[in-house]
Amino acid sequence: MQYNHQEIEEKWQKFWAENQTFKAENNSKKPKYYVLDMFPYPSGAGLHVGHPLGYIASDIYARYKRHKGFNVLHPQGYDSFGLPAEQYAIQTGQHPAKTTEANIATYRKQLDKIGFSFDWSREVRTSNPEYYKWTQWIFTELFNSWYNRDTEKAEDIATLEKTFNISGNTAVNAVSDEGILLFSAVEWQAFSKTTQEEILLQYRLTYLSDTEVNWCPGLGTVLANDEIVNGVSERGSHPVVRKKMTQWSMRISAYAQRLLDGLETIDWPQPLKDSQTNWIGRSQGAMVSFQVANGVEKTTAEIKLSYKELESLKVLRQNLSKAETVLWDELKNKKGAAKFRKKYTIGSFLVDYVCLAKNIIVDFSGKEDEAARTTYFANEGFNVVRFSNEAVIENVLQVVSKINAAIQFPKAIEKSATIAAVKLVADPFKIDVFTTRPDTIFGVSFMTLAPEHELVSKITTAAQKGAIETYIKATAKRSERDRMADVKTISGAFTGAYAIHPFSGAKVQIWIGDYVLANYGTGAVMAVPCGDQRDYDFAKHFDIPIPNIFENVDISEAAHAGKDGTKIANSDFLSGLKYKKAIKLAIFEMEKRGFGYGKINYRLRDAVFSRQRYWGEPFPVYYKDGMPQMIDVKYLPVVLPEVEKYLPTEDGKPPLGNAIAWAWDSRAKKVVGNEKLKNKTVYPLELNTMPGWAGSSWYFNRYMDATNTGAFASKESLEYWKEVDLYIGGSEHATGHLLYARFWQKFLFDKGIVPVDEFAKKLINQGMILGTSAFVYRATAFVKNGCSTEKSNDDVLDKIPTVLVSKNLFNSDDEFEAVVKNYLLDKGFLNPNFADLVMLVKTPIHVDVSLVNASDDLAIEAFKNHALNTEYKNAEFILEAGVYKVGREVEKMSKSKYNVVNPDDIVAEYGADALRLFEMFLGPLEQAKPWKTSGISGVYSFLKKLWKLYFNEAVFEVSKEKATKEELKVLHKTIKKVQEDIESFSFNTSVSTFMIAVNELTALKCNKRSILEPLLLLLSPYAPHISEELWRKLGNKESISAADFPVFDAKHLVESTKNYPISFNGKMRFTLELSLDLSKEEIEKTVLEHEKTIAQLAGASLKKVIIVPGKIINIVA
RNA sequence: GCUCAAGUGGCGGAAUUGGUAGACGCGCUGGAUUCAAAAUCCAGUUUUUUCGGAAGUGCGGGUUCGAUUCCCGCCUUGAGUACCA
């Protein structure tokens, strides 16, 4: 009986679908295992042979785990919102839902043919309202949350409002917008509702704000940073510009540190972790303030802190000095009336600690404005207790007891009459910089501000005004891309102003330059030319001094960026220290002297969440008095409205602006026609939609309970499945999907919605399958210039046909030309008189890979008749040995390169089992590797050989006889290897193992049931159809998928002899069969007496004999 | 520039803790079968050789009885990132 893959595969695919063989149970006594593939976007082009690679690997693992007794969840679905369907809709007017539906149908058909064990009863589609209802709900949850730095988690916004009502926002330690107004409880209560909402918006985890966004005019939408590659859009490669727009953003920056820390706990590929670490971009250093010489800010009479000061206050709370920490550890535990707060503002003064109930201020002594503080605090009715740093560190308990005494016995306060003393001291301008190398602060010889820096206009001297303005104008003209492309040109201008070095007091020049980015850090740098190459180049270019602060380092040619092993010099108290110690000491001194503090900076920015597109999740948001309002989960989903066209409106609004029914009736709680907007209780709905990553950031949780209508998933199912155990997908998602999904998971975890804060325990990036492109080499003829002829060039060229040259006929362009020329002369296409005038240039042309066989021979007639090759219909072929050999090159699989292979064709010709085996056989899962269809014949003949083992000619026949020792050895060797391979995800080697097993069993003429039955179980994860068929033929009634994996028994592999390799000086020279019972001495004796040993030694003296029993014998001469 | 990964026959790749380098498959060569082809089966296939051997895992060095594997330096290719202070 012949192996008929088409019949068998169709039969079993139907069986699995009808019997729901792979449906996972949410209630099971078996241990759970969750295997997931990254969410596919159903593109119109369908699958090529590279797409199923990861799916096959995960399917093998899922099937293996079922054999091992696990309750396996292995679902599949579609990330079905997205740009391509919408772009297609714009071009053709077809509704994206329709094209998406059609694409999914194609996709599904293709997937089904490969025999995956997906539980399709759990399929989800992000564009289904039943699904995006919950995406909208998560959005409202984010909106109703803020990030509490004290508890390090997201909390309900109500807890924040409560705090505001009790004590204002000064003591709140939250992640928020920059520059927040400080207010007291009384002030909060006095604010209008709208003002309160505006303030809350600055704290919410998703918020509306005017932000600089990446606007892509080509797509008519904004893009997130990860959607831009090399300055152009990832989809379609359109240019991107910076633009200020009101947009929804996600406060992912709140989770920067936790996203970093979480990487330690998950088993993901190192390169992927590295790229996330890189993207988050944590840098540890210091914030340092430089005063501007003579620059004075306007005096304000108002006793309120500026936004900037408030910001630094928040940071100060995070960066306590040692003494402050020690004392705080004692004070913070006080409860009730004696409760202390740290770094609190009283009037315009920042006090170290305060107990508001008892009117006690605890302050460190030695502050410059101590007298003014004392006066002010006394007038406000506070008792002030002062301690030195040293006193706290030496004996904190004594300090605490003094504070307790002050609480119990407050001093009578003498109110001073001189209230006028509370005038603010005029603040000079200062420039804040962030540096990762505070140890090099004595190397600062100038400062550079970004041209956009707010201080530039204020500090520029009259003399330099012209130069600065010219420079700013020039940089503004350059686009972001130009600035990125041109890193070499050094440009800048001097402001004429000077800053005071905070340690040395020296005057340093203040410059502006566009190598400093306005939107990173503070938009200003302290330039250390001896230690930073960009500062060095800048200083050299503008002739600014380059002081050397490194011991024994030459900086005459370049800056010295190395830090290990270099000692700091010429740096006052830092001299002689290595960088680690110097950094610590520098920060310590800055904090002590009050102009700087240690700080951690992150590169990660908040993610823009609005898209000006149609085909995405609508926001569950309407606007009342201009303020966004969330729609309650009870009334979700807010369904995407129909529109006439998918383009922006004439006045530039997003496509949803075209909808005629897009208003929210807040009474009826439903979407109504726009004409009702004149009613008082009807409000406009949000016109933006959510980005592609919204739906994919939580879908793995939905699969756990995909059809639940009452919750995004039930508590029980979330608790049972917990997280994905194995997640397989491409590395292109490293900084997009995988970072956002981790962020949402942590948020949902904080809110107690999901039980784990990392959604995927183990992740594998499958490598790309590349195409093997085929080329023919065309000769293009030219007539050389400069030689005048009576005949026109065209006459000569007209006679020359298109010529294609077989690959191995030339090694160089010159040889190529010679070959073609000889051919043309031979055949009379070229008049010998003009031969010298004609030049022939080689042009490689892609040819469709389906026209080439395994030996790289081109099917010439098929090539000529191919639809794409009409211009070669009459081409001449220069052959080698009667055939035309094509050139081969490995490239990305793409339509334009004619190297795309469709899995459907492979399945039709060789079967799904062969496809599955071959994809695995190509090489290690994680590696990129080229596809060459010819190789599949190897696995196909393997399947035929396997089939034959179960047949005696045409009859299915297995024997009940006892297996021989040899046969058992083959089986158990295979069990061991295959099990190890699957568990270490090296699927390629198990395919070889199967081949070896079948080759050996064929040689042994084995047809024993006791060998052939377990063999099917080993193979079943890889080639499930043929295994099911033979399993059934063996008389089994149940599907093979539920049967137990065979158990390896080491006793079958025990050997009595070993074919020892005999090495001389480490080189193997011959082998010798020896009993494993022999002692070392006996082995040595036998080997040394052997004639080949004597011949090999050839009289040389023996130095040493190394014997590793069971492994090797090495003779050293 | 920085970070990471990888370099083994004509090709994809194997060698899991340092122990017989090139398993398995493709391709190629020769043979059997066939009128012929496909399919199938058998033998061979790193290089070199005076047919005894000898050399060989990107290059140069080191550790070791022994290195594709560990260490140091370099070269090449690929991926990510990029004026990040």
Side-chain angles (χ1 to χ4, degrees):
Chain A
M1 197 177 155
Q2 282 276 309
Y3 166 54
N4 182 338
H5 62 261
Q6 276 163 333
E7 199 177 285
I8 294 170
E9 291 178 358
E10 206 177 310
K11 168 179 164 190
W12 287 104
Q13 282 162 14
K14 199 166 152 233
F15 177 91
W16 295 328
E18 280 170 1
N19 292 281
Q20 300 217 39
T21 309
F22 306 113
K23 197 168 156 61
E25 292 299 323
N26 272 11
N27 289 305
S28 170
K29 285 204 179 102
K30 293 177 180 177
K32 69 101 190 184
Y33 201 87
Y34 185 179
V35 186
L36 185 63
D37 300 297
M38 285 186 197
F39 223 8
Y41 175 80
S43 80
L47 292 172
H48 68 58
V49 112
H51 293 118
L53 179 74
Y55 303 159
I56 295 170
S58 62
D59 198 59
I60 289 170
Y61 207 77
R63 286 175 179 272
Y64 171 73
K65 280 286 179 183
R66 286 194 199 95
H67 288 309
K68 282 286 189 176
F70 286 81
N71 179 29
V72 173
L73 175 55
H74 186 40
Q76 189 59 283
Y78 307 97
D79 190 8
S80 47
F81 273 133
L83 284 177
E86 183 166 357
Q87 291 296 88
Y88 188 74
I90 291 168
Q91 285 159 20
T92 65
Q94 277 231 51
H95 197 290
K98 235 178 126 184
T99 48
T100 302
E101 184 75 40
N103 291 350
I104 287 178
T106 314
Y107 230 82
R108 175 66 190 271
K109 228 167 123 190
Q110 288 188 296
L111 289 176
D112 281 349
K113 280 188 194 164
I114 306 174
F116 293 121
S117 64
F118 292 129
D119 176 357
W120 284 108
S121 71
R122 295 175 188 249
E123 179 199 302
V124 301
R125 299 179 187 187
T126 52
S127 59
N128 265 1
E130 301 81 61
Y131 179 87
Y132 68 67
K133 168 180 180 176
W134 301 107
T135 311
Q136 290 175 337
W137 171 71
I138 294 170
F139 178 85
T140 63
E141 286 288 310
L142 282 156
F143 182 83
N144 288 322
S145 302
W146 64 293
Y147 196 87
N148 188 342
R149 277 242 159 101
D150 285 336
T151 55
E152 274 302 339
K153 62 188 250 194
E155 289 180 16
D156 198 283
I157 201 81
T159 65
L160 186 65
E161 281 180 272
K162 207 169 144 195
T163 312
F164 286 174
N165 262 315
I166 296 168
S167 54
N169 70 346
T170 43
V172 170
N173 187 12
V175 180
S176 65
D177 286 2
E178 287 184 13
I180 286 190
L181 188 75
L182 267 196
F183 51 80
S184 65
V186 179
E187 283 167 316
W188 169 255
Q189 285 150 14
F191 289 145
S192 71
K193 188 85 190 133
T194 308
T195 311
Q196 287 187 347
E197 282 190 22
E198 270 170 15
I199 290 168
L200 287 174
L201 207 46
Q202 296 180 305
Y203 288 89
R204 296 179 188 275
L205 286 183
T206 181
Y207 59 97
L208 261 186
S209 70
D210 287 326
T211 30
E212 283 251 315
V213 294
N214 307 301
W215 174 255
C216 177
L219 293 172
T221 188
V222 303
L223 298 171
N225 290 336
D226 66 276
E227 290 167 324
I228 300 164
V229 178
N230 296 327
V232 295
S233 69
E234 189 185 16
R235 292 226 183 243
S237 299
H238 303 285
V240 173
V241 295
R242 306 286 295 172
K243 192 175 171 184
K244 214 161 199 167
M245 288 175 76
T246 304
Q247 300 283 295
W248 284 105
S249 289
M250 288 276 162
R251 222 179 280 286
I252 188 173
S253 58
Y255 285 86
Q257 189 58 50
R258 279 172 66 192
L259 287 169
L260 222 42
D261 295 342
L263 290 175
E264 312 267 320
T265 66
I266 46 182
D267 183 7
W268 288 19
Q270 199 53 42
L272 197 161
K273 288 188 184 182
D274 289 346
S275 97
Q276 290 211 350
T277 307
N278 216 321
W279 193 261
I280 296 167
R282 181 187 204 263
S283 51
Q284 193 156 10
M287 277 304 258
V288 191
S289 296
F290 284 66
Q291 306 283 342
V292 178
N294 307 324
V296 174
E297 204 159 9
K298 275 190 221 126
T299 313
T300 67
E302 218 178 318
I303 306 182
K304 247 188 190 163
L305 293 181
S306 72
Y307 293 164
K308 272 265 154 75
E309 286 166 309
L310 188 71
E311 264 312 288
S312 57
L313 187 156
K314 283 202 298 190
V315 174
L316 266 175
R317 270 194 207 113
Q318 293 295 300
N319 295 280
L320 296 181
S321 73
K322 193 182 171 200
E324 286 171 334
T325 312
V326 167
L327 188 51
W328 180 237
D329 284 342
E330 295 298 324
L331 293 181
K332 72 180 173 196
N333 297 324
K334 292 186 176 290
K335 292 269 150 58
K339 183 176 157 70
F340 273 85
R341 297 172 189 283
K342 64 180 169 180
K343 298 289 173 190
Y344 204 79
T345 45
I346 303 294
S348 66
F349 296 106
L350 177 68
V351 301
D352 291 317
Y353 310 99
V354 61
C355 172
L356 292 169
K358 297 280 180 186
N359 276 11
I360 296 269
I361 288 170
V362 177
D363 234 358
F364 282 98
S365 55
K367 290 196 171 66
E368 283 168 33
D369 51 355
E370 206 165 285
R373 296 168 78 96
T374 310
T375 317
Y376 181 77
F377 296 150
N379 280 312
E380 294 291 305
F382 283 97
N383 264 308
V384 183
V385 192
R386 288 209 168 83
F387 300 100
S388 67
N389 266 310
E390 293 74 25
V392 171
I393 291 172
E394 273 165 26
N395 193 343
V396 67
L397 293 178
Q398 190 181 356
V399 169
V400 171
S401 78
K402 278 185 187 163
I403 292 171
N404 284 334
I407 293 171
Q408 282 178 314
F409 313 106
K411 271 193 287 182
I413 298 163
E414 295 166 33
K415 282 210 177 185
S416 154
T418 54
I419 293 175
V422 187
K423 209 180 146 210
L424 264 185
V425 185
D427 241 5
F429 287 131
K430 61 183 189 136
I431 300 169
D432 294 321
V433 296
F434 177 73
T435 175
T436 54
R437 295 292 303 274
D439 56 318
T440 62
I441 192 160
F442 284 93
V444 172
S445 63
F446 64 101
M447 305 193 72
T448 316
L449 309 185
E452 300 92 332
H453 198 282
E454 51 162 13
L455 268 186
V456 173
S457 60
K458 296 179 185 166
I459 60 170
T460 303
T461 58
Q464 290 300 108
K465 215 169 185 99
I468 290 285
E469 277 172 7
T470 313
Y471 182 70
I472 291 177
K473 263 189 201 155
T475 41
K477 262 192 213 152
R478 297 175 72 193
S479 73
E480 193 81 4
R481 268 195 102 180
D482 291 344
R483 265 170 87 162
M484 266 169 64
D486 178 23
V487 183
K488 296 247 161 61
T489 317
I490 296 160
S491 68
F494 180 44
T495 62
Y498 291 85
I500 306 294
H501 192 288
F503 280 118
S504 70
K507 276 170 87 178
V508 296
Q509 302 173 3
I510 302 173
W511 287 69
I512 64 172
D514 67 5
Y515 79 95
V516 177
L517 304 177
N519 53 7
Y520 182 76
T522 61
V525 299
M526 58 173 228
V528 184
C530 65
D532 181 289
Q533 195 56 43
R534 284 158 306 150
D535 295 343
Y536 185 91
D537 295 340
F538 196 86
K540 271 265 149 108
H541 190 260
F542 291 108
D543 236 348
I544 303 169
I546 304 178
N548 189 355
I549 51 142
F550 299 115
E551 215 173 278
N552 303 322
V553 169
D554 174 35
I555 53 152
S556 60
E557 289 304 318
H560 175 73
K563 37 197 180 181
D564 293 305
T566 311
K567 279 185 182 169
I568 304 287
N570 305 323
S571 296
D572 195 354
F573 59 91
L574 296 176
S575 298
L577 295 176
K578 288 195 180 163
Y579 92 104
K580 267 192 186 155
K581 279 199 168 164
I583 284 179
K584 271 192 192 150
L585 187 59
I587 292 176
F588 177 81
E589 282 295 322
M590 286 170 193
E591 288 177 352
K592 200 168 100 187
R593 301 188 197 187
F595 57 81
Y597 51 86
K599 197 193 170 183
I600 293 159
N601 234 19
Y602 298 93
R603 198 177 70 117
L604 183 71
R605 305 283 91 156
D606 281 347
V608 179
F609 198 65
S610 301
R611 295 292 181 276
Q612 292 68 44
R613 303 292 298 197
Y614 174 73
W615 193 231
E617 297 87 347
F619 283 86
V621 173
Y622 65 94
Y623 289 88
K624 186 175 165 185
D625 304 325
M627 294 309 295
Q629 311 294 325
M630 294 298 121
I631 294 168
D632 194 274
V633 63
K634 279 185 285 214
Y635 312 113
L636 297 180
V638 175
V639 178
L640 191 63
E642 291 306 316
V643 292
E644 207 148 292
K645 53 179 190 150
Y646 307 103
L647 289 168
T649 64
E650 263 147 44
D651 51 348
K653 285 189 191 138
L656 289 192
N658 292 318
I660 47 168
W662 197 236
W664 183 252
D665 185 331
S666 63
R667 283 230 186 111
K669 309 287 186 193
K670 62 175 188 184
V671 176
V672 294
N674 292 356
E675 70 284 352
K676 299 213 170 132
L677 273 172
K678 42 188 189 284
N679 294 353
K680 270 209 162 159
T681 53
V682 176
Y683 302 97
L685 281 157
E686 168 76 50
L687 298 180
N688 289 301
T689 53
M690 297 187 196
W693 54 269
S696 59
S697 293
W698 69 279
Y699 76 109
F700 34 85
N701 288 316
R702 183 67 181 169
Y703 282 134
M704 297 175 186
D705 192 11
T707 52
N708 194 325
T709 49
F712 97 143
S714 73
K715 267 244 141 18
E716 300 74 48
S717 51
L718 286 163
E719 199 52 57
Y720 177 71
W721 293 109
K722 283 200 172 68
E723 78 271 89
V724 176
D725 293 286
L726 175 65
Y727 196 30
I728 295 187
S731 55
E732 67 274 16
H733 298 111
T735 48
H737 161 60
L738 290 173
L739 200 59
Y740 296 128
R742 292 182 60 220
F743 158 44
W744 278 30
Q745 183 76 6
K746 289 194 185 299
F747 165 73
L748 294 170
F749 174 76
D750 285 354
K751 302 282 279 188
I753 298 163
V754 297
V756 287
D757 76 335
E758 288 290 349
F759 76 93
K761 248 196 228 167
K762 178 169 179 71
L763 189 150
I764 292 176
N765 284 132
Q766 93 269 20
M768 214 190 309
I769 289 191
L770 304 163
T772 312
S773 303
F775 294 90
V776 293
Y777 300 93
R778 186 179 70 189
T780 311
F782 294 99
V783 172
K784 278 181 201 163
N785 285 330
C787 309
S788 61
T789 46
E790 280 81 66
K791 282 210 163 198
S792 92
N793 295 344
D794 291 346
D795 288 346
V796 176
L797 292 181
D798 271 353
K799 288 196 181 140
I800 298 176
T802 307
V803 177
L804 300 169
V805 187
S806 186
K807 194 206 161 208
N808 298 316
L809 294 174
F810 58 92
N811 285 312
S812 64
D813 290 355
D814 288 347
E815 279 181 44
F816 178 83
E817 187 165 17
V819 167
V820 177
K821 212 170 256 185
N822 288 335
Y823 180 83
L824 294 175
L825 290 166
D826 269 10
K827 298 263 170 172
F829 292 120
L830 183 60
N831 183 330
N833 296 330
F834 303 123
D836 287 345
L837 291 177
V838 173
M839 243 167 55
L840 293 147
V841 178
K842 183 185 79 184
T843 323
I845 313 278
H846 276 102
V847 334
D848 195 315
V849 289
S850 64
L851 300 173
V852 181
N853 75 3
S855 312
D856 294 350
D857 302 343
L858 180 70
I860 293 174
E861 284 313 307
F863 172 80
K864 284 182 176 172
N865 295 324
H866 197 273
L868 290 160
N869 300 329
T870 45
E871 54 178 310
Y872 303 115
K873 203 126 195 121
N874 299 310
E876 293 285 321
F877 290 80
I878 307 182
L879 308 178
E880 53 182 288
V883 293
Y884 187 99
K885 296 269 182 198
V886 297
R888 290 287 201 172
E889 215 169 290
V890 172
E891 296 178 295
K892 225 174 152 168
M893 221 175 247
S894 117
K895 258 188 176 167
S896 63
K897 297 188 171 89
Y898 305 114
N899 59 5
V900 174
V901 180
N902 188 325
D904 298 358
D905 300 342
I906 302 293
V907 168
E909 193 172 350
Y910 302 97
D913 285 338
L915 174 72
R916 292 168 64 107
L917 284 168
F918 186 54
E919 294 231 355
M920 292 301 106
F921 187 61
L922 282 177
L925 181 58
E926 300 92 331
Q927 232 169 68
K929 56 240 157 197
W931 174 276
K932 235 180 142 180
T933 304
S934 55
I936 203 168
S937 63
V939 293
Y940 190 59
S941 48
F942 154 74
L943 288 172
K944 285 191 284 190
K945 257 193 214 171
L946 172 88
W947 184 260
K948 272 194 197 158
L949 281 175
Y950 297 77
F951 286 84
N952 181 4
E953 299 299 325
V955 192
F956 182 84
E957 187 183 294
V958 287
S959 101
K960 283 187 191 147
E961 260 177 76
K962 219 173 148 230
T964 65
K965 215 181 143 204
E966 273 304 289
E967 291 165 342
L968 280 167
K969 190 177 147 193
V970 172
L971 175 67
H972 283 268
K973 199 171 70 177
T974 310
I975 297 173
K976 181 168 188 277
K977 176 80 175 137
V978 170
Q979 180 160 329
E980 280 168 3
D981 282 347
I982 296 181
E983 274 163 17
S984 60
F985 305 98
S986 63
F987 303 113
N988 54 327
T989 47
S990 17
V991 180
S992 311
T993 307
F994 291 132
M995 290 175 174
I996 293 167
V998 166
N999 288 345
E1000 288 178 353
L1001 291 174
T1002 306
L1004 291 169
K1005 296 197 166 49
C1006 171
N1007 72 339
K1008 316 269 167 62
R1009 186 190 189 97
S1010 56
I1011 301 292
L1012 295 183
E1013 193 165 37
L1015 183 68
L1016 289 177
L1017 277 158
L1018 301 181
L1019 185 68
S1020 136
Y1022 291 80
H1025 308 87
I1026 194 172
S1027 308
E1028 283 274 26
E1029 180 67 18
L1030 292 170
W1031 181 255
R1032 178 58 57 99
K1033 283 197 187 309
L1034 283 170
N1036 295 290
K1037 293 281 172 290
E1038 299 288 314
S1039 162
I1040 193 171
S1041 67
D1044 286 340
F1045 205 74
V1047 179
F1048 167 66
D1049 188 345
K1051 80 172 182 228
H1052 298 293
L1053 300 192
V1054 176
E1055 302 268 2
S1056 59
T1057 64
K1058 159 86 189 169
N1059 195 20
Y1060 277 99
I1062 315 295
S1063 304
F1064 291 80
N1065 297 322
K1067 295 265 174 209
M1068 203 280 289
R1069 291 308 176 215
F1070 61 93
T1071 57
L1072 192 59
E1073 180 101 9
L1074 293 172
S1075 164
L1076 281 166
D1077 302 331
L1078 294 180
S1079 69
K1080 273 195 179 188
E1081 288 71 26
E1082 286 167 320
I1083 294 173
E1084 180 166 345
K1085 188 161 172 280
T1086 322
V1087 170
L1088 289 180
E1089 278 169 1
H1090 197 271
E1091 51 170 356
K1092 282 195 180 170
T1093 309
I1094 294 158
Q1096 192 61 232
L1097 283 171
S1101 67
L1102 191 71
K1103 285 200 187 119
K1104 204 172 174 185
V1105 178
I1106 286 147
I1107 294 163
V1108 185
K1111 281 240 159 116
I1112 197 171
I1113 295 154
N1114 190 17
I1115 296 162
V1116 187

